[in-house]
Amino acid sequence: MEMKAIKFVLNGETHECLVSPWRTLLEMIREDFKLTGAKEGCGQGECGSCTVIMGGKSVNSCLVPAVEANGQEIITIEGLKKGEELHPIQEAFVAHSGMQ
């Protein structure tokens, strides 16, 4: 199949890349951008370990084709941090040993 060119904002930085139509957003984020905070747990959108914010809404990145990122703003758990200050969600992961 033909690769698709997409352009999007990931954690505040604009990116352009080519993706396969069958590749998931999770695969692209983890493999191409080395952001490993989102994880594949169940692969069915049930567990939430792959959750990212896309277009202001939480999505299961294991179910979203990467081509749908075109024109979107995506925020991962890594992107929530402002400078050295952790976001409350990140603080909760630390406080409750939520790291994997």
Side-chain angles (χ1 to χ4, degrees):
M1 287 203 135
E2 187 177 316
M3 300 287 273
K4 303 287 182 181
I6 61 172
K7 183 177 180 178
F8 55 95
V9 176
L10 178 61
N11 295 336
E13 294 183 22
T14 301
H15 295 278
E16 293 183 50
C17 62
L18 293 173
V19 295
S20 301
W22 59 85
R23 194 156 198 221
T24 67
L25 180 60
L26 178 63
E27 291 168 335
M28 181 182 74
I29 289 169
R30 289 182 58 87
E31 295 169 14
D32 296 351
F33 297 98
K34 308 301 183 211
L35 297 172
T36 58
K39 315 248 188 275
E40 181 159 1
C42 67
Q44 300 175 2
E46 298 281 329
C47 71
S49 65
C50 67
T51 301
V52 300
I53 301 168
M54 184 168 84
K57 297 181 180 182
S58 63
V59 298
N60 295 315
S61 63
C62 71
L63 300 179
V64 175
V67 294
E68 288 188 22
N70 191 41
Q72 297 288 330
E73 179 177 359
I74 301 162
I75 303 170
T76 67
I77 190 73
E78 294 93 341
L80 293 175
K81 187 176 176 182
K82 301 291 185 205
E84 293 302 311
E85 185 176 329
L86 294 179
H87 186 277
I89 293 174
Q90 293 169 311
E91 289 176 352
F93 270 86
V94 172
H96 300 285
S97 301
M99 289 71 66
Q100 294 182 17

